[in-house]
Amino acid sequence: MSETKNRNVSDTTSGKKSMKWVFWLLAAKVLFILLLAGLTIWIIYAVRAANTDGNQANHFERVLGAGYSNDGKTLWLGTEKKLLFYKKGIWHAEKLKDDEHATIFLPINSGFIQQNIDSSLHWKKLNQERLISNSVKRDHRVLAVGYATGRLYNLRQSGSSQILLFSDDGGKKWKNKSLDHLTGTVQALAAAPKNKQLLSIGTTNGLYVSEDNGVHFQHYLKGYSVTCVSYGFSKQTSLLAGTAGKETELYQILPDQKKTINLDMGTVESDNLIQIAQNPVKFGEAAMLTKHGDIYLTENGGQNWTILAKKGRALNGR
């Protein structure tokens, strides 16, 4: 009888201990699940926050200038508050290091020229290291520069004629000449990267190309509204020009052969091309920027196109 009681007490005690172990094991499992769920939520939040920050950093509004580094490996854009860089399929952004309000960025072989709202000019490397600075008159808004020559260009309306101003000393002294026989409203100006005699002007009535610094012009794309134009870097003189109208079109102009070639840009529908940047090393590569923030890249002279940005949002990957 005594043995039976002892056995019952032992069984009861053992059962209580087993229940405690089951309880604590269940509590530990619940705690582990809660910790795992919390960690998962934190990771999701952190990733979303990182992606949001990245998207904001690589989001841009009005582009004030674009170009390539002199090794051809980096495409860059300049805006009022930051610079954006595209290299090896990846975008990254950097804030402008000064508090000045930029109005235009122009590509040169050492980096870029930044003109501010006070008309001051600043030559900078792509890392924003300032090389030199200069002040110009407020009506001397620089519209183009020779990538390698460094010659600055400006245009001014005078009655029915356009006055071309150009400077070879960083804007300290300017020479000018009257440009006659141009029709339409001027919308774009481009200078050849290495030859000071070559310049082109896009108007609402076509593209005017000069081989003698504005003394004479050849007229291309008559009747078309030319919104942007850019010289290539190959030995043969070549230009890319964007037109607006019922359809947005891109043309290659070969002045030596007096040829106009329509390049297929079916990816651009109702948007207007506003800027063209050509690679100084890879002659078939160029980036097209549209009014509403799209960027298209071709690496084979316009045969194929890659979308780098949509509506001001840079897209990583290729």
Side-chain angles (χ1 to χ4, degrees):
M1 188 76 176
S2 175
E3 291 180 0
T4 302
K5 287 182 178 180
N6 291 337
R7 190 181 301 114
N8 290 337
V9 171
S10 177
D11 291 344
T12 302
T13 303
S14 177
K16 289 181 178 179
K17 289 182 178 180
S18 297
M19 289 294 293
K20 286 182 178 179
W21 279 108
V22 170
F23 172 78
W24 287 113
L25 182 61
L26 181 61
K29 287 183 177 180
V30 170
L31 181 61
F32 175 76
I33 292 171
L34 290 175
L35 289 173
L36 186 61
L39 180 62
T40 302
I41 292 172
W42 180 83
I43 291 173
I44 293 173
Y45 175 81
V47 169
R48 285 182 177 177
N51 287 339
T52 299
D53 291 342
N55 288 338
Q56 289 177 348
N58 292 336
H59 180 82
F60 56 89
E61 295 181 357
R62 190 164 64 99
V63 176
L64 303 176
Y68 276 89
S69 58
N70 60 4
D71 62 4
K73 295 180 179 180
T74 303
L75 170 69
W76 61 266
L77 314 177
T79 70
E80 291 181 353
K81 297 181 180 179
K82 58 190 172 184
L83 293 173
L84 292 96
F85 303 92
Y86 181 80
K87 185 176 182 179
K88 295 182 179 179
I90 302 296
W91 284 98
H92 77 274
E94 295 179 4
K95 291 183 178 179
L96 292 180
K97 292 183 179 179
D98 52 44
D99 295 328
E100 300 160 330
H101 296 286
T103 57
I104 192 169
F105 292 85
L106 298 166
I108 52 176
N109 53 11
S110 58
F112 60 86
I113 297 175
Q114 174 184 332
Q115 185 164 20
N116 294 331
I117 197 170
D118 62 358
S119 296
S120 59
L121 298 175
H122 306 280
W123 282 252
K124 296 182 179 181
K125 295 182 179 180
L126 289 185
N127 63 7
Q128 299 193 59
E129 176 187 344
R130 188 172 295 189
L131 300 173
I132 58 174
S133 296
N134 192 17
S135 295
V136 296
K137 295 179 180 179
R138 288 190 176 273
D139 59 350
H140 284 186
R141 182 171 181 267
V142 179
L143 299 178
V145 62
Y147 186 88
T149 65
R151 172 175 280 187
L152 307 176
Y153 294 86
N154 181 25
L155 276 176
R156 186 186 303 164
Q157 185 78 29
S158 177
S160 60
S161 299
Q162 292 285 342
I163 303 298
L164 175 69
L165 298 95
F166 54 97
S167 173
D168 290 314
D169 60 1
K172 296 177 182 178
K173 296 180 181 179
W174 293 81
K175 298 179 181 179
N176 64 77
K177 62 175 60 180
S178 178
L179 305 181
D180 300 319
H181 311 301
L182 299 185
T183 60
T185 302
V186 173
Q187 301 185 124
L189 174 65
K194 299 178 181 179
N195 189 337
K196 292 182 179 180
Q197 297 300 306
L198 305 182
L199 64 93
S200 60
I201 300 172
T203 79
T204 51
N205 189 33
L207 178 67
Y208 293 85
V209 180
S210 176
E211 297 180 342
D212 50 17
N213 197 33
V215 177
H216 303 93
F217 285 95
Q218 299 177 45
H219 193 183
Y220 296 89
L221 303 174
K222 295 180 181 180
Y224 287 81
S225 178
V226 177
T227 55
C228 55
V229 60
S230 170
Y231 276 91
F233 289 80
S234 61
K235 291 182 178 179
Q236 181 187 31
T237 303
S238 175
L239 301 95
L240 292 177
T243 65
K246 293 183 179 179
E247 295 181 357
T248 295
E249 295 179 315
L250 178 69
Y251 292 88
Q252 182 182 27
I253 310 297
L254 302 173
D256 294 341
Q257 303 177 35
K258 292 182 171 51
K259 268 189 176 183
T260 300
I261 303 170
N262 190 344
L263 303 177
D264 182 16
M265 277 209 74
T267 50
V268 179
E269 296 177 356
S270 59
D271 208 351
N272 288 343
L273 297 175
I274 59 169
Q275 291 191 48
I276 302 172
Q278 298 201 55
N279 194 308
V281 177
K282 302 175 183 177
F283 297 153
E285 181 174 320
M288 312 291 154
L289 286 72
T290 74
K291 181 179 180 180
H292 294 108
D294 295 350
I295 302 177
Y296 301 89
L297 178 75
T298 180
E299 297 179 297
N300 52 16
Q303 296 180 42
N304 303 99
W305 296 92
T306 301
I307 301 175
L308 302 187
K310 290 294 291 182
K311 295 182 179 179
R313 185 171 63 87
L315 306 176
N316 287 325
R318 306 194 77 170

